[in-house]
């Protein structure tokens, strides 16, 4: 496995600085919404969407994380965002992560489905009435603006780290069935369900920041491995991460900054098929997350010797291959040339073929998956991964990590499609049907992430 690397390190004796800021990215009513394989338009705004930036600085080392209330962040936009942030703040591009919270209440602003719907609308009406603004331009500008403002707000902080557990909400959505198959979301109280096909990760790792002067709570970064897809009222909204922010601000005031990142949740959501009752709402999930964070505060441990370091690697993962005939048929399906109502899995397969074609045109036969690592101290590290990663893969990274606490984040720096385990590829079902990589790609990603973490553990400044 060939991996290209770059590293930046800060002296551990320097004080740790934090800056935070946000910028709104809510699209207008009528813009397309993300999260499916058919056209859905937003009927209003439940709560604003934001690009939220957190900047860390210690000595000569800087890192930036921008978490965005969108379903996905493709590299065609994250690459220029990162370059612009680097130019504004002096932070190396490799130390900048742009990630999606994966809210399904966000806009559909790029990709195979958007491009097809946009083209069909333009052919029919001369223009696309759904895209009344240039959302990509707004999105990129606001990400850069939030990062720049956060950089200007840098001030000394103290770091506390820990984790909590949130049981009973996350559910592995893949199930073994009596006929020997594996199905995702097989329906409430389905009598043919045997058992879940995979685990869940109930850990909620937490980074908590207090102002060095006055010791007041300033910000938190929390990770939970569950789809941000509990919000379905047809309006744009941040889903449960937005509720989490509101509840923490009720505790600590309007200036408290909550950054949420989705963990490895490719096969995990909130649908509990074993009970007939409705599933938890965004309000209930956000309230529960806020509750475990508040309850965990007495047990958080101070980072006595912060030692900021950052590392980035590229892991080449083989893409699947399709014929020109496969691509031509997929184009016909996506553009409704065969039927106006294609079967769901027919649409999914066509989307996968065209998405894989686009990735191959960009990267070649091997998808260049970027993995980033950020060390806070000798015991704490954060990993970012692209795409929708199965929970087993994230848990494997945490288990093999040399750090006592490793926060594993997905949906960073590139678009969303599933990266299943080799076991799941053999089982099949929806997530496998959307995946553009070959079986074993997820395990290559784990190996690359663990190797990077071991190098980050021994980098200068971490002793």
């Amino acid at each position: 496995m060939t991996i290209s690397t770059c590293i930046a390190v800060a002296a551990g004796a320097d004080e740790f600085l934090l800056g935070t800021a946000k910028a709104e990215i809510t699209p207008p009513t009528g813009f397309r919404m993300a999260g499916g394989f058919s056209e859905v338009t937003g009927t209003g705004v439940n709560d604003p969407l934001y690009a939220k930036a957190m900047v860390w600085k210690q000595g000569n080392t800087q890192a930036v994380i921008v978490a965005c209330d969108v379903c996905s962040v493709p590299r065609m936009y994250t690459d220029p965002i990162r370059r612009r942030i680097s130019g504004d703040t002096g932070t190396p591009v490799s130390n900048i992560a742009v990630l999606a919270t994966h809210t399904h209440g966000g806009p559909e602003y790029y990709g195979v489905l958007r491009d097809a719907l946009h083209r069909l609308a333009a052919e029919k009406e001369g223009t696309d009435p759904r895209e009344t603004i240039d959302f990509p331009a707004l999105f990129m500008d606001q990400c850069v603006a939030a990062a720049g403002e956060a950089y200007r707000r840098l001030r000394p902080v103290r770091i506390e780290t820990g984790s909590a557990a949130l049981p009973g909400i996350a559910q592995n959505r893949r199930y073994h069935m009596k006929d020997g198959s594996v199905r995702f979301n097989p329906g409430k109280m389905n009598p043919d369900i045997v058992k879940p096909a995979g685990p869940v990760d109930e850990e909620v790792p937490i980074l908590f920041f207090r102002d060095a002067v006055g010791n007041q709570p300033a910000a938190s970064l929390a990770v939970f491995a569950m789809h941000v897809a509990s919000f379905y009222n047809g309006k744009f909204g941040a889903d449960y991460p937005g509720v989490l922010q509101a509840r923490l601000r009720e505790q600590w005031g309007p200036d408290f900054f909550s950054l949420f990142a989705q963990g490895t949740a490719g096969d995990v959501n909130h649908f509990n098929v074993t009970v007939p009752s409705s599933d938890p709402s965004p309000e209930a999930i956000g309230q529960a997350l806020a509750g475990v964070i508040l309850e965990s505060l007495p047990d958080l441990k101070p980072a006595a010797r912060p030692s900021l370091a950052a590392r980035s690697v590229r892991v080449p993962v083989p893409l699947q291959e399709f014929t020109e005939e496969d691509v031509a048929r997929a184009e016909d399906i996506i553009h409704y040339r065969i039927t106006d109502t294609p079967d769901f899995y027919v649409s999914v397969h066509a989307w996968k073929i065209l998405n894989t074609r686009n990735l191959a045109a960009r990267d070649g036969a091997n998808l260049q998956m970027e993995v980033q690592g950020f060390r806070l101290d000798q015991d704490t590290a954060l990993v970012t991964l692209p795409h929708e990663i199965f929970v087993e893969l994230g848990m494997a990274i945490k288990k093999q990590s040399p750090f006592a606490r490793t926060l594993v984040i997905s949906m960073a720096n590139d678009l969303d499609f599933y990266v299943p385990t080799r076991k799941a590829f053999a089982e099949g079902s929806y997530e496998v049907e959307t995946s553009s990589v070959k079986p074993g790609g997820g395990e290559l990603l784990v190996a690359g992430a663990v190797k990077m973490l071991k190098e980050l553990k021994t980098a200068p400044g971490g002793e």
Side-chain angles (χ1 to χ4, degrees), residues 128 258 299 313 360 397 409 443:
D128 185 352
S258 166
D299 299 320
V313 304
I397 291 172
I409 294 170
E443 286 75 13

Side-chain angles (χ1 to χ4, degrees), residues 376-405:
L376 277 295
D377 64 14
Q378 189 62 15
D379 295 322
T380 309
L382 184 152
V383 172
T384 72
L385 307 172
H387 317 302
E388 296 192 68
I389 310 299
F390 267 38
V391 67
E392 296 93 326
L393 300 172
M395 294 172 76
I397 291 172
K398 291 200 287 187
K399 183 177 181 180
Q400 298 175 55
S401 172
F403 291 88
R405 179 169 295 104

Side-chain angles (χ1 to χ4, degrees), residues 123-167:
E123 290 173 354
K124 181 179 180 180
E125 304 187 42
T127 186
D128 185 352
R130 301 303 179 194
E131 296 191 9
T132 54
I133 65 167
D134 184 348
F135 183 83
L138 168 72
F139 172 66
M140 290 190 288
D141 287 347
Q142 294 296 76
C143 286
V144 175
E149 182 63 23
Y151 181 75
R152 289 187 288 273
R153 294 180 180 180
L154 284 168
R155 77 276 195 190
V157 293
R158 297 187 179 95
I159 309 170
E160 298 174 359
T161 66
S163 66
L166 183 56

Side-chain angles (χ1 to χ4, degrees), residues 1-12:
M1 177 170 58
T2 302
I3 298 177
S4 60
T5 68
C6 56
I7 188 165
V9 182

Side-chain angles (χ1 to χ4, degrees), residues 254-296:
D255 293 331
F256 186 82
F257 188 88
S258 166
L259 192 149
F260 174 86
Q262 181 177 276
T264 52
D267 49 345
V268 178
N269 61 20
H270 68 298
F271 297 149
N272 188 344
V273 301
T274 66
V275 297
S277 56
S278 59
D279 298 304
S281 65
E283 289 73 20
I285 299 168
Q287 183 68 49
L289 274 171
V292 299
I293 290 173
L294 293 172
E295 291 170 6
S296 72

